[in-house]
Amino acid sequence: MSTELFFVQLINGLQYGLLLFLIASGLTLVFGVMGILNLAHGSMYMVGAYLVWYFVAVTGSFTVSAILSAVIALGLGILIERVLIQRLYNRNHLDQVLLTIGMIFVFNSLQSILWGNDPYGVAVPEALSGSVPFTDNSSYPVYRIFAALICIAIAAALYFMVSKTRLGMLIRAGESNREMVEALGVNIKSLYTIVFAIGVMLAAISGIIAAPMRSIVPGMGESVLITCFVVVVIGGMGSIKGAFVGALLVGVISTFAAVLMPTMSNMVIYLFMILVLLVKPQGLFAK
């Protein structure tokens, strides 16, 4: 592998890892704070991608479509938590798995009814459609750089919210001892609604960002969900920092594996997960 190809693939891997972090952070936030194992989290990624495709077709503006899609995803998260997820807090993980698997089938059916089963694509916004010279013989798409910067900005905002704000203090307290937080007068139900809605919106934003770079196809949420569970397991369940490090590692490893050993690329991240669990059974940053 040439030095030029190495750096291009490294940047691709980091950009992919940052996108994985947005999805995995919502998954680990919901599990860490609420104890909810949401197997339908990947469906929110699919919802974000389909919504932005639909609104771009209607409005012609990617920016307006992205904002509308994120707001709808936030509202959808509030609705799901209020109507369905609240009923699971005092029940075991098997009930959570059964309900959220059912939600996957519901969202896949709704996607098929509303938008059909044809693959779709979203054009890269004209302002971001160029490329930046990387070397004398290669360049890198501006949109991919933009996507990476957006992911970094959201990751920084998430860190600031969790670490420096009153809401973040309540989230961390609820994760550590939810009974004590409730006894101190905090409306734990509203806190859980906010956390779940944020998790859903993060997954949808990931789908929005990925839409111009990937095909929008039925069932696209299931494959990314499996990868995100690998990220969460490697980083440690409930750890935002672990999700960030795990996502970058998985992104870089899977990208290089696709180039160096394409026939085994799907297996490599699982082998890496097994290796991590042999050394750190609770994940790299388990709490």
Side-chain angles (χ1 to χ4, degrees), residues 213-274:
M213 298 186 289
R214 290 174 170 78
S215 296
I216 301 172
V217 295
M220 62 188 293
E222 281 77 76
S223 59
V224 78
L225 175 70
I226 295 171
T227 306
C228 284
F229 267 115
V230 172
V231 167
V232 170
V233 169
I234 289 173
M237 295 294 286
S239 171
I240 298 293
K241 179 168 69 173
F244 183 77
V245 174
L248 292 182
L249 287 172
V250 169
V252 171
I253 290 170
S254 61
T255 299
F256 276 101
V259 175
L260 298 175
M261 49 183 82
T263 57
M264 297 179 59
S265 59
N266 291 330
M267 186 192 307
V268 171
I269 59 170
Y270 301 106
L271 294 175
F272 178 68
M273 180 183 69
I274 292 170

Coordinates of all heavy atoms in Angstrom, one line a residue, residues 213-274:
M213 N -24.0 10.0 0.7 CA -22.8 9.2 0.5 C -23.1 7.7 0.2 O -22.3 6.9 -0.3 CB -21.9 9.3 1.7 CG -21.3 10.7 1.9 SD -20.1 10.7 3.3 CE -21.1 10.4 4.7
R214 N -24.3 7.3 0.6 CA -24.7 5.9 0.5 C -26.1 5.8 -0.2 O -26.9 6.7 -0.1 CB -24.7 5.3 1.9 CG -23.3 5.1 2.4 CD -23.4 4.6 3.9 NE -22.1 4.2 4.4 CZ -21.2 5.1 4.8 NH1 -21.4 6.4 4.8 NH2 -20.0 4.6 5.3
S215 N -26.4 4.6 -0.7 CA -27.7 4.3 -1.3 C -28.7 4.2 -0.1 O -28.4 3.6 0.9 CB -27.7 3.1 -2.1 OG -26.8 3.2 -3.2
I216 N -29.9 4.7 -0.4 CA -31.0 4.6 0.6 C -31.8 3.4 0.2 O -32.5 3.4 -0.8 CB -31.8 5.8 0.7 CG1 -30.9 7.0 1.0 CG2 -33.0 5.7 1.7 CD1 -31.6 8.4 0.9
V217 N -31.8 2.3 1.0 CA -32.4 1.0 0.6 C -33.2 0.5 1.8 O -32.9 0.8 2.9 CB -31.3 0.0 0.1 CG1 -30.6 0.5 -1.1 CG2 -30.3 -0.3 1.2
P218 N -34.2 -0.4 1.5 CA -34.9 -1.0 2.6 C -34.0 -1.8 3.5 O -33.1 -2.5 3.0 CB -35.9 -1.9 1.8 CG -36.1 -1.3 0.5 CD -34.7 -0.7 0.2
G219 N -34.3 -1.8 4.8 CA -33.5 -2.6 5.7 C -32.1 -2.1 6.0 O -31.3 -2.8 6.6
M220 N -31.8 -0.8 5.6 CA -30.4 -0.3 5.8 C -30.1 -0.1 7.3 O -28.9 -0.1 7.6 CB -30.3 1.0 5.0 CG -31.2 2.1 5.5 SD -31.1 3.6 4.5 CE -29.5 4.2 4.7
G221 N -31.1 -0.1 8.1 CA -30.9 0.1 9.5 C -30.3 -1.1 10.2 O -29.6 -1.0 11.2
E222 N -30.7 -2.3 9.7 CA -30.2 -3.5 10.4 C -28.7 -3.7 10.4 O -28.1 -4.1 11.4 CB -30.9 -4.7 9.9 CG -32.4 -4.9 10.3 CD -33.3 -4.0 9.6 OE1 -33.7 -4.3 8.4 OE2 -33.8 -3.0 10.2
S223 N -28.1 -3.5 9.2 CA -26.7 -3.7 9.1 C -25.9 -2.7 9.9 O -24.9 -3.1 10.6 CB -26.3 -3.6 7.6 OG -26.6 -2.3 7.1
V224 N -26.3 -1.5 9.9 CA -25.6 -0.5 10.7 C -25.8 -0.7 12.2 O -24.9 -0.5 13.0 CB -26.0 0.9 10.3 CG1 -27.3 1.3 10.9 CG2 -25.0 1.9 10.8
L225 N -27.0 -1.3 12.6 CA -27.2 -1.6 14.0 C -26.2 -2.6 14.5 O -25.7 -2.5 15.6 CB -28.6 -2.1 14.2 CG -29.0 -2.6 15.6 CD1 -29.1 -1.4 16.6 CD2 -30.3 -3.3 15.6
I226 N -26.0 -3.7 13.7 CA -25.0 -4.7 14.2 C -23.6 -4.1 14.4 O -23.0 -4.4 15.4 CB -25.0 -5.8 13.1 CG1 -26.4 -6.5 13.0 CG2 -23.9 -6.9 13.4 CD1 -26.5 -7.5 11.9
T227 N -23.2 -3.3 13.4 CA -21.9 -2.6 13.6 C -21.9 -1.8 14.8 O -20.8 -1.7 15.5 CB -21.6 -1.8 12.3 OG1 -21.7 -2.6 11.2 CG2 -20.2 -1.3 12.4
C228 N -22.9 -1.1 15.1 CA -23.0 -0.2 16.3 C -22.9 -1.0 17.6 O -22.4 -0.5 18.6 CB -24.2 0.7 16.2 SG -24.0 2.0 15.0
F229 N -23.6 -2.2 17.6 CA -23.5 -3.0 18.8 C -22.0 -3.4 19.0 O -21.5 -3.5 20.1 CB -24.4 -4.2 18.7 CG -25.7 -4.0 19.3 CD1 -26.9 -4.0 18.5 CD2 -25.9 -3.8 20.6 CE1 -28.1 -3.8 19.0 CE2 -27.1 -3.5 21.2 CZ -28.2 -3.5 20.4
V230 N -21.3 -3.7 17.9 CA -19.9 -4.0 18.0 C -19.1 -2.9 18.6 O -18.3 -3.0 19.5 CB -19.3 -4.4 16.6 CG1 -17.8 -4.6 16.7 CG2 -19.9 -5.7 16.1
V231 N -19.4 -1.7 18.2 CA -18.8 -0.4 18.7 C -19.1 -0.3 20.2 O -18.1 -0.1 21.0 CB -19.3 0.8 17.9 CG1 -18.9 2.1 18.7 CG2 -18.8 0.8 16.5
V232 N -20.3 -0.5 20.6 CA -20.7 -0.3 22.0 C -20.0 -1.4 22.9 O -19.6 -1.1 24.0 CB -22.2 -0.3 22.1 CG1 -22.7 -0.4 23.6 CG2 -22.8 0.9 21.5
V233 N -20.0 -2.6 22.4 CA -19.4 -3.7 23.2 C -17.9 -3.4 23.3 O -17.3 -3.6 24.4 CB -19.7 -5.0 22.5 CG1 -18.8 -6.1 23.1 CG2 -21.1 -5.4 22.6
I234 N -17.2 -3.0 22.3 CA -15.8 -2.7 22.3 C -15.5 -1.6 23.3 O -14.6 -1.6 24.2 CB -15.2 -2.4 20.9 CG1 -15.2 -3.6 20.1 CG2 -13.8 -1.8 21.1 CD1 -14.8 -3.4 18.6
G235 N -16.3 -0.5 23.2 CA -16.1 0.7 24.0 C -16.5 0.5 25.5 O -16.0 1.1 26.4
G236 N -17.5 -0.4 25.7 CA -18.1 -0.6 27.0 C -19.5 0.0 27.1 O -19.7 1.1 26.8
M237 N -20.4 -0.8 27.5 CA -21.9 -0.5 27.5 C -22.1 0.7 28.4 O -21.6 0.8 29.6 CB -22.7 -1.6 28.0 CG -22.7 -2.8 27.0 SD -23.5 -2.5 25.4 CE -25.2 -2.4 25.9
G238 N -22.7 1.8 27.9 CA -23.0 2.9 28.7 C -22.0 4.0 28.7 O -22.2 5.1 29.3
S239 N -20.9 3.8 28.0 CA -19.8 4.8 28.0 C -19.8 5.6 26.7 O -19.5 5.0 25.7 CB -18.4 4.1 28.2 OG -17.4 5.0 28.1
I240 N -20.0 6.9 26.8 CA -19.9 7.8 25.6 C -18.5 7.8 25.1 O -18.2 7.7 23.9 CB -20.4 9.2 26.0 CG1 -21.8 9.2 26.4 CG2 -20.2 10.1 24.8 CD1 -22.8 8.8 25.3
K241 N -17.5 7.9 26.0 CA -16.1 8.0 25.6 C -15.7 6.6 24.9 O -15.0 6.6 23.9 CB -15.2 8.2 26.8 CG -13.7 8.2 26.5 CD -12.9 8.8 27.6 CE -12.9 7.8 28.8 NZ -11.9 8.2 29.9
G242 N -16.2 5.5 25.5 CA -16.0 4.2 24.9 C -16.6 4.1 23.5 O -16.0 3.5 22.6
A243 N -17.8 4.7 23.3 CA -18.4 4.6 22.0 C -17.6 5.4 21.0 O -17.4 5.0 19.8 CB -19.8 5.2 22.1
F244 N -17.0 6.6 21.4 CA -16.2 7.4 20.5 C -14.9 6.6 20.1 O -14.6 6.5 18.9 CB -15.8 8.7 21.2 CG -15.1 9.6 20.3 CD1 -15.7 10.4 19.4 CD2 -13.7 9.8 20.5 CE1 -15.0 11.3 18.6 CE2 -13.0 10.7 19.7 CZ -13.6 11.4 18.7
V245 N -14.2 6.1 21.1 CA -13.0 5.4 20.7 C -13.3 4.1 20.0 O -12.6 3.8 19.0 CB -12.2 5.0 22.0 CG1 -11.0 4.1 21.7 CG2 -11.8 6.3 22.8
G246 N -14.3 3.4 20.4 CA -14.7 2.1 19.7 C -15.1 2.4 18.2 O -14.8 1.6 17.3
A247 N -15.9 3.5 18.0 CA -16.3 3.8 16.7 C -15.1 4.1 15.8 O -15.1 3.7 14.6 CB -17.3 5.0 16.7
L248 N -14.2 4.9 16.3 CA -13.0 5.2 15.4 C -12.2 4.0 15.1 O -11.7 3.8 14.0 CB -12.1 6.3 16.2 CG -12.7 7.7 16.3 CD1 -11.7 8.6 17.0 CD2 -13.1 8.3 15.0
L249 N -12.0 3.1 16.1 CA -11.3 1.9 15.9 C -12.0 1.0 14.8 O -11.3 0.5 13.9 CB -11.1 1.1 17.2 CG -10.1 1.7 18.2 CD1 -10.2 0.9 19.5 CD2 -8.7 1.7 17.7
V250 N -13.3 0.8 15.0 CA -14.0 0.0 14.1 C -14.0 0.6 12.7 O -13.9 -0.1 11.7 CB -15.5 -0.2 14.6 CG1 -16.3 -0.8 13.5 CG2 -15.5 -1.1 15.8
G251 N -14.2 1.9 12.6 CA -14.2 2.6 11.3 C -12.8 2.4 10.6 O -12.8 2.1 9.4
V252 N -11.7 2.6 11.2 CA -10.4 2.5 10.6 C -10.1 1.1 10.2 O -9.7 0.8 9.1 CB -9.3 3.1 11.5 CG1 -7.9 2.8 11.0 CG2 -9.5 4.6 11.7
I253 N -10.4 0.1 11.2 CA -10.1 -1.3 10.9 C -10.9 -1.8 9.8 O -10.4 -2.5 8.9 CB -10.3 -2.1 12.2 CG1 -9.3 -1.8 13.3 CG2 -10.3 -3.6 11.9 CD1 -9.6 -2.4 14.6
S254 N -12.2 -1.5 9.7 CA -13.1 -2.0 8.7 C -12.7 -1.4 7.3 O -12.8 -2.1 6.3 CB -14.5 -1.8 9.0 OG -14.8 -0.4 9.1
T255 N -12.3 -0.2 7.3 CA -11.9 0.5 6.0 C -10.6 -0.1 5.5 O -10.6 -0.5 4.3 CB -11.7 2.0 6.3 OG1 -12.9 2.6 6.7 CG2 -11.3 2.7 5.0
F256 N -9.6 -0.3 6.3 CA -8.4 -1.0 5.8 C -8.6 -2.4 5.5 O -8.0 -2.9 4.5 CB -7.3 -0.8 6.9 CG -6.6 0.5 6.8 CD1 -6.9 1.5 7.7 CD2 -5.6 0.7 5.9 CE1 -6.2 2.7 7.7 CE2 -4.9 1.9 5.8 CZ -5.2 2.9 6.7
A257 N -9.5 -3.1 6.2 CA -9.7 -4.5 5.9 C -10.4 -4.7 4.6 O -10.1 -5.6 3.8 CB -10.6 -5.1 7.0
A258 N -11.3 -3.7 4.2 CA -12.0 -3.8 2.9 C -11.0 -3.6 1.8 O -11.2 -4.1 0.7 CB -13.0 -2.7 2.8
V259 N -9.8 -2.9 2.0 CA -8.8 -2.7 1.0 C -7.8 -3.9 1.0 O -7.5 -4.4 -0.1 CB -8.1 -1.4 1.2 CG1 -6.9 -1.2 0.2 CG2 -9.1 -0.2 1.1
L260 N -7.4 -4.3 2.1 CA -6.3 -5.2 2.2 C -6.7 -6.7 2.1 O -6.0 -7.6 1.6 CB -5.5 -5.0 3.5 CG -4.8 -3.7 3.7 CD1 -4.2 -3.6 5.1 CD2 -3.7 -3.5 2.6
M261 N -7.9 -7.0 2.7 CA -8.5 -8.4 2.7 C -10.0 -8.3 2.4 O -10.7 -8.6 3.3 CB -8.1 -9.1 4.0 CG -8.4 -8.3 5.2 SD -7.9 -9.1 6.7 CE -6.1 -8.7 6.8
P262 N -10.4 -8.0 1.2 CA -11.8 -7.8 1.0 C -12.7 -9.0 1.2 O -13.8 -8.8 1.6 CB -11.8 -7.4 -0.5 CG -10.5 -7.8 -1.1 CD -9.5 -7.7 0.0
T263 N -12.1 -10.2 1.1 CA -12.9 -11.4 1.3 C -13.2 -11.6 2.8 O -14.1 -12.4 3.1 CB -12.3 -12.6 0.7 OG1 -11.0 -12.8 1.3 CG2 -12.1 -12.5 -0.8
M264 N -12.4 -11.0 3.6 CA -12.6 -11.2 5.1 C -13.0 -9.9 5.8 O -13.0 -9.9 7.0 CB -11.3 -11.8 5.7 CG -10.8 -13.1 5.2 SD -9.3 -13.6 6.0 CE -9.7 -13.7 7.7
S265 N -13.3 -8.9 5.1 CA -13.5 -7.6 5.7 C -14.6 -7.6 6.7 O -14.5 -6.9 7.7 CB -13.7 -6.5 4.6 OG -14.8 -6.8 3.8
N266 N -15.7 -8.4 6.4 CA -16.8 -8.4 7.3 C -16.5 -9.1 8.6 O -17.1 -8.9 9.7 CB -18.0 -9.0 6.7 CG -18.6 -8.2 5.6 OD1 -18.5 -7.0 5.6 ND2 -19.2 -8.8 4.6
M267 N -15.5 -10.0 8.6 CA -15.1 -10.8 9.8 C -14.2 -10.1 10.7 O -14.2 -10.3 11.9 CB -14.5 -12.1 9.3 CG -14.2 -13.1 10.4 SD -13.1 -14.4 9.8 CE -14.1 -15.0 8.4
V268 N -13.4 -9.1 10.2 CA -12.3 -8.6 10.9 C -12.7 -7.8 12.2 O -12.1 -8.0 13.2 CB -11.4 -7.6 10.0 CG1 -10.4 -6.9 10.8 CG2 -10.7 -8.5 8.9
I269 N -13.8 -7.0 12.0 CA -14.2 -6.2 13.2 C -14.7 -7.2 14.3 O -14.6 -6.8 15.5 CB -15.3 -5.2 12.9 CG1 -16.5 -5.8 12.3 CG2 -14.7 -4.1 11.9 CD1 -17.7 -4.8 12.1
Y270 N -15.3 -8.3 14.0 CA -15.8 -9.2 15.0 C -14.6 -9.9 15.7 O -14.6 -10.2 16.9 CB -16.7 -10.3 14.4 CG -17.9 -9.6 13.7 CD1 -18.1 -9.5 12.3 CD2 -19.0 -9.0 14.5 CE1 -19.2 -8.9 11.7 CE2 -20.0 -8.4 13.9 CZ -20.1 -8.4 12.5 OH -21.2 -7.8 12.0
L271 N -13.6 -10.2 14.9 CA -12.4 -10.8 15.5 C -11.7 -9.8 16.4 O -11.2 -10.2 17.5 CB -11.4 -11.2 14.4 CG -11.8 -12.4 13.5 CD1 -10.8 -12.5 12.3 CD2 -12.0 -13.6 14.3
F272 N -11.7 -8.5 16.0 CA -11.2 -7.5 16.9 C -12.0 -7.4 18.2 O -11.5 -7.2 19.3 CB -11.2 -6.2 16.2 CG -10.7 -5.0 17.0 CD1 -9.3 -5.0 17.4 CD2 -11.5 -4.0 17.4 CE1 -8.9 -3.9 18.2 CE2 -11.0 -2.9 18.2 CZ -9.7 -2.9 18.5
M273 N -13.3 -7.5 18.1 CA -14.2 -7.4 19.2 C -13.9 -8.6 20.2 O -13.8 -8.4 21.4 CB -15.7 -7.5 18.8 CG -16.6 -7.4 20.0 SD -18.4 -7.6 19.5 CE -18.4 -9.3 18.9
I274 N -13.7 -9.8 19.6 CA -13.4 -10.9 20.5 C -12.1 -10.7 21.2 O -11.9 -11.0 22.4 CB -13.3 -12.2 19.6 CG1 -14.7 -12.5 19.1 CG2 -12.8 -13.4 20.4 CD1 -14.8 -13.6 18.0

